[in-house]
Amino acid sequence: MSERSRICIVGGGFGGLYTALRLSEFPWTDEQKPKITLIDKSDRFLFSPLLYELITEEMQSWEIAPPFAEVLANTGVIFQQGSVTDINIEAKQVTLQDDTTIPYDRLVLSTGGATPVDIVPGAREHALPFRSLADADRLREKIRLLEGDNPDKIRVAVVGGGYSGVELACKLADRLGEKGRIRIIDRGDQILKDSTDFNRKTAIEALEKNHIWQDLETDVERVEADSISLVYKGQTDTIPVDLVLWTVGNRVSELIKRLPLEQNEQGFLKVEPTLLVKGRDDIFALGDAAESYDRDGKSLPATAQVAFQQSDYCAWNLWASATNRPLLSFGYQPLGEMMTLGTDNATINGLGLKLDGPMAYVARRLVYLYRLPTLKHQLTVGFNWITQPIVELLSS
Ligand SMILES: Cc1cc2nc3c(=O)[nH]c(=O)nc-3n(C[C@H](O)[C@H](O)[C@H](O)COP(=O)(O)OP(=O)(O)OC[C@H]3O[C@@H](n4cnc5c(N)ncnc54)[C@H](O)[C@@H]3O)c2cc1C
């Protein structure tokens, strides 16, 4: 009997986990059925668009970060927790930090990106990124300590006026209430430069309502333990802060950078429209680790929406390459964008729909509920959303 072929997926985020889940659903024959291994350094998948909800305690971490073991139960996919430190593309072998090696026939690279907090002096030591569960925990702990000191104001600087910066600032405004003195700092002459006019306008209204200050056309020069130095029109101003949050940038991991594979100037992997890494017929890449294009050649942003849609194509193309079918070129379907703007506010613009306020808040939640991995997890979380208010009412 011939050996089963091996598919190894490195990184279990929107690209990797959903590729694994889709792959497990194909009607493999017994001879074709591959051994699928998903490797992640964390033991849980993170649904990052809902990470803000942990700051306001609207959600709990089990809802937005289910364990891989649970999500992959009964799929046949093997989960291996570990940090990949090396990939030998000639020997076709992945090495983990404890020297475990995992051989493969086909490899998927979906390690996502990282927030570069070393762009200005002091940021690495004093600014908090907001990308992982650990980041959210650190931020909650910092807020708890600041609130414990019981000051009359808590001064927060959020660096970056993109989606993350704006959403985080709005959630923080609700979390800190009257005490919050929040400012968003951005180089550009407006926030949310890549957003739609409708969402930008709604977001600006939310920032104004929450008294969140916008420092536009402003560069960060330095971050200290209790201050931030800002440059506006050549003039440096150092202002006191209690908390600096860094939301700018997306950097590829050192692991990917070191690989002898075709990359763009920033180190993101260059891929064919089929998501095969250029020059390879055994390595696919998707999500934030890859330079993504639509099949029409349009450059795509590093978003969950892109990684999620790519996962369908990646899974299909893995299946096609293993079963001698033609590979498909990735076609992106823009579904619009949604942003949370506080504990009862959001904005949605897409598929001909424009919605803001509490209606958008509910719609955004429902869309994300539907996007959570596995029906079982969707039902558990959905049931909790329905019963939680009743439990709170009864226990008050
Ligand atoms: C706070 C926040 C909010 C966001 N909101 C939105 C939104 O509303 N809409 C939207 O479309 N996008 C949003 N995004 C962007 C979106 O989350 C990313 O674009 C998406 O997660 C990319 O998917 P990915 O699979 O490439 O990477 P990720 O989802 O980041 O997954 C990468 C995985 O690889 C693992 N990994 C990395 N290196 C290694 C290694 N060496 N060894 C083992 N495992 C490794 C990581 O642990 C991680 O699980 C948001 C991002 C953040 C941080």
Side-chain angles (χ1 to χ4, degrees):
M1 209 180 92
S2 63
E3 280 211 357
R4 280 168 75 189
S5 79
R6 298 152 303 185
I7 297 176
C8 180
I9 302 174
V10 181
F14 279 90
L17 173 67
Y18 287 84
T19 296
L21 289 171
R22 289 288 292 123
L23 258 184
S24 70
E25 290 165 1
F26 283 107
W28 300 98
T29 61
D30 283 348
E31 288 132 43
Q32 290 167 341
K33 197 172 175 51
K35 178 178 170 191
I36 306 165
T37 306
L38 175 71
I39 308 172
D40 202 288
K41 56 185 172 192
S42 167
D43 62 340
R44 302 164 184 212
F45 164 70
L46 173 63
F47 196 98
S48 29
L50 291 172
L51 192 60
Y52 313 104
E53 271 72 357
L54 297 186
I55 304 308
T56 41
E57 293 177 7
E58 289 163 88
M59 283 191 200
Q60 300 159 54
S61 49
W62 68 264
E63 295 174 281
I64 69 159
F68 285 111
E70 204 176 290
V71 173
L72 294 170
N74 307 319
T75 61
V77 176
I78 299 161
F79 174 63
Q80 170 86 47
Q81 187 178 358
S83 189
V84 174
T85 50
D86 190 38
I87 300 173
N88 185 331
I89 62 168
E90 298 312 325
K92 296 195 177 202
Q93 173 172 291
V94 168
T95 306
L96 306 186
Q97 88 284 7
D98 63 358
D99 290 336
T100 305
T101 54
I102 299 172
Y104 66 81
D105 297 298
R106 289 182 182 80
L107 177 70
V108 177
L109 295 171
S110 46
T111 46
T115 305
V117 275
D118 52 0
I119 296 176
V120 301
R124 187 201 294 271
E125 297 81 9
H126 306 298
L128 300 182
F130 191 73
R131 192 180 267 266
S132 64
L133 271 185
D135 294 339
D137 287 343
R138 254 194 305 272
L139 174 54
R140 279 195 299 187
E141 178 59 11
K142 178 82 184 169
I143 294 172
R144 203 181 59 76
L145 291 174
L146 287 170
E147 285 175 332
D149 293 344
N150 207 17
D152 52 358
K153 51 182 186 267
I154 296 175
R155 298 154 303 185
V156 184
V158 178
V159 182
Y163 299 101
S164 249
V166 171
E167 291 180 280
L168 191 52
C170 287
K171 287 288 192 205
L172 278 169
D174 280 346
R175 173 73 177 78
L176 299 176
E178 296 273 286
K179 286 185 179 177
R181 302 283 185 280
I182 305 170
R183 61 202 313 140
I184 290 186
I185 300 148
D186 199 283
R187 264 192 189 151
D189 59 3
Q190 63 176 349
I191 56 154
L192 296 170
K193 66 177 168 46
D194 299 323
S195 185
T196 62
D197 290 345
F198 176 78
N199 279 356
R200 190 182 311 108
K201 185 172 160 290
T202 314
I204 289 171
E205 281 166 12
L207 295 181
E208 286 170 358
K209 187 173 145 252
N210 285 311
H211 309 291
I212 297 170
W213 184 258
Q214 296 175 51
D215 287 309
L216 299 175
E217 298 178 74
T218 302
D219 273 303
V220 177
E221 192 178 70
R222 165 179 293 276
V223 183
E224 303 276 1
D226 52 8
S227 68
I228 186 165
S229 299
L230 305 177
V231 184
Y232 175 69
K233 295 199 190 297
Q235 186 98 14
T236 303
D237 200 5
T238 299
I239 53 172
V241 282
D242 301 301
L243 178 60
V244 176
L245 288 157
W246 197 274
T247 69
V248 186
N250 182 36
R251 181 180 281 172
V252 77
S253 69
E254 289 305 316
L255 170 75
I256 298 290
K257 259 194 196 162
R258 279 201 311 271
L259 294 177
L261 295 172
E262 230 183 291
Q263 301 172 12
N264 70 10
E265 273 179 21
Q266 293 80 42
F268 294 98
L269 293 164
K270 289 193 171 190
V271 291
E272 300 289 351
T274 54
L275 303 176
L276 271 169
V277 171
K278 280 191 189 270
R280 303 292 308 193
D281 62 4
D282 57 344
I283 306 178
F284 291 84
L286 72 164
D288 288 5
E291 185 184 53
S292 297
Y293 290 95
D294 189 15
R295 62 162 80 98
D296 304 332
K298 187 169 171 277
S299 168
L300 298 173
T303 64
Q305 203 183 138
V306 170
F308 179 81
Q309 291 188 33
Q310 284 177 327
S311 70
D312 260 352
Y313 283 81
C314 187
W316 174 272
N317 286 343
L318 281 161
W319 143 266
S321 66
T323 57
N324 298 318
R325 288 175 166 83
L327 272 57
L328 298 178
S329 294
F330 173 58
Y332 179 61
Q333 172 117 45
L335 299 174
E337 60 175 39
M338 305 191 286
M339 291 171 62
T340 179
L341 298 172
T343 50
D344 64 351
N345 192 11
T347 182
I348 299 182
N349 191 181
L351 299 177
L353 187 75
K354 286 181 182 169
L355 214 56
D356 59 4
M359 284 283 283
Y361 176 83
V362 173
R364 173 179 172 273
R365 272 216 179 190
L366 291 176
V367 170
Y368 283 154
L369 179 65
Y370 175 65
R371 283 281 186 247
L372 289 176
T374 77
L375 180 63
K376 187 170 172 234
H377 190 62
Q378 291 167 10
L379 291 174
T380 316
V381 173
F383 185 71
N384 187 50
W385 289 358
I386 295 166
T387 54
Q388 191 65 21
I390 303 168
V391 172
E392 278 168 18
L393 197 71
L394 291 175
S395 56
S396 67

